Amino acid sequence: MTTTRCLIIGSGPAGYTASIYTTRAGINSILVEGLQPGGQLTQTTTIENFPGFPDGIDGNELMDRMRQQAIGLGATVKPDIVKSIDLSRRPFVALLDGGDTIEADTVIVATGASAKYLGLEDEKRYAGMGVSACATCDGFFYRKKVVAVVGGGDTACEEAHYLSHLASKVYMIVRKDYLRASAAMQQRVNDTPNIEILYNTNTVGLFGDNGVQGAHLVRFKGTGQEQFFDIDIDGFFLAIGHKPNTDFLGGQIDLDEGGYIKTDGTTTATSVPGVFAAGDVADPRYRQAIAAAGTGCRAALDAEKFLAANG
């Protein structure tokens, strides 16, 4: 069994930043990278809204730089997955997929949230080539182009409205015959002239040679009125929600109705003393790399204070 003062679970901007700060504070910490080292940013291409990179930076390169910075400062980064963890008493004990166990005085959960996809093979085929789950991250690349947003809730309406200021036209692909969004968001979408809502419509595929050039759609799927048709688009945005990666916690930490970890509001502390949460796993609102990095810093400082107060 390996022992550490702080176990950091997850390796996106939040996890790597937490590792940098704990290491600089002289706290022995171990970061377990998880199933997707680097997190969701490794699935994007150029990132243009992370401060310090006026020409943008590739998502994989940014995450690798953060990783190397942490290692360069002396952090221990372990390529493994936390299968389960016992938070019933301190020190906490984590079981790794490789069979190792880690005993930790504090834990920072930075496992992120995974975007929900439709399950189409074409979503994988065009990942980073026209398919995105973050309009704020990638919308800039579609200035004066045509895009589609899948979803009918508040998030979809917000993304469509945001994209309407950049793209020449925005389709909203809504499988129901109504929007689930709040009345205010529905009004905002309906008042935007370059947003067209396609109700009762499902996506069955995407097409294009070197990237997304269009979508195969079906209206009134599974009924006698079924109609297949195509639309020409340059970008395809998923806005059907995210699933926080918290299954391994086994219900030991309080979550909100969306499954995100609850923190106390002023710090990153969770319902379990000594356990802190950072990044998208505790952020249903912003979901930005810079915001995640900021909470990684906060979680490390919170863990440092907790260790100082609890010996």
Side-chain angles (χ1 to χ4, degrees):
M1 178 182 290
T2 304
T3 61
T4 185
R5 295 287 273 161
C6 182
L7 170 63
I8 301 165
I9 308 174
S11 59
Y16 286 141
T17 302
S19 181
I20 290 168
Y21 271 78
T22 52
T23 303
R24 290 190 73 252
I27 298 171
N28 172 32
S29 64
I30 297 174
L31 182 148
V32 179
E33 290 187 296
L35 189 63
Q36 187 178 27
Q40 290 187 79
L41 284 188
T42 59
Q43 295 182 314
T44 65
T45 51
T46 304
I47 299 168
E48 296 193 331
N49 57 1
F50 200 92
F53 300 96
D55 298 321
I57 183 170
D58 177 80
N60 283 281
E61 182 182 353
L62 177 60
M63 289 300 92
D64 186 60
R65 286 193 184 193
M66 287 189 181
R67 185 179 192 273
Q68 293 306 319
Q69 184 175 357
I71 292 173
L73 289 168
T76 299
V77 176
K78 193 172 180 64
D80 211 326
I81 301 167
V82 175
K83 287 181 61 178
S84 62
I85 188 167
D86 182 1
L87 302 178
S88 61
R89 62 184 183 275
R90 290 181 60 242
F92 310 114
V93 179
L95 174 64
L96 305 190
D97 189 57
D100 294 341
T101 56
I102 298 177
E103 190 178 78
D105 295 317
T106 57
V107 172
I108 295 174
V109 182
T111 46
S114 301
K116 294 179 181 178
Y117 287 81
L118 298 174
L120 303 174
E121 278 299 315
D122 288 339
E123 290 172 316
K124 299 176 183 177
R125 177 186 176 191
Y126 294 108
M129 299 170 61
V131 172
S132 172
C134 181
T136 310
C137 307
D138 300 325
F140 181 81
F141 300 109
Y142 298 92
R143 294 179 67 89
K144 299 182 179 179
K145 295 185 178 182
V146 180
V147 299
V149 175
V150 179
D154 278 328
T155 299
C157 287
E158 287 175 3
E159 301 251 302
H161 188 258
Y162 173 82
L163 289 166
S164 71
H165 298 294
L166 300 168
S168 60
K169 184 178 181 63
V170 180
Y171 289 103
M172 286 190 70
I173 303 172
V174 183
R175 63 187 179 90
K176 297 182 180 294
D177 61 357
Y178 62 89
L179 293 174
R180 294 181 291 105
S182 63
M185 284 306 305
Q186 291 188 46
Q187 189 64 47
R188 187 179 299 175
V189 166
N190 289 326
D191 289 344
T192 305
N194 63 334
I195 296 179
E196 180 180 346
I197 305 174
L198 304 175
Y199 289 109
N200 300 301
T201 301
N202 291 71
T203 306
V204 293
L206 302 170
F207 62 88
D209 295 328
N210 298 310
V212 171
Q213 293 178 312
H216 300 301
L217 307 178
V218 56
R219 185 176 286 126
F220 303 116
K221 184 179 180 180
T223 73
Q225 299 174 281
E226 200 171 64
Q227 303 170 5
F228 289 88
F229 64 102
D230 294 344
I231 58 172
D232 294 327
I233 55 173
D234 302 291
F236 185 77
F237 289 84
L238 282 302
I240 54 178
H242 287 72
K243 183 184 184 301
N245 301 317
T246 57
D247 289 349
F248 74 99
L249 295 171
Q252 300 175 89
I253 290 180
D254 288 349
L255 309 176
D256 67 12
E257 62 275 9
Y260 293 86
I261 296 176
K262 286 184 179 180
T263 56
D264 71 6
T266 56
T267 72
T268 61
T270 70
S271 59
V272 178
V275 179
F276 306 90
D280 288 9
V281 74
D283 178 14
R285 184 180 181 89
Y286 299 106
R287 294 195 297 268
Q288 296 296 302
I290 188 64
T295 56
C297 162
R298 292 173 57 207
L301 297 176
D302 290 338
E304 180 185 5
K305 290 180 180 179
F306 180 88
L307 289 168
N310 290 274

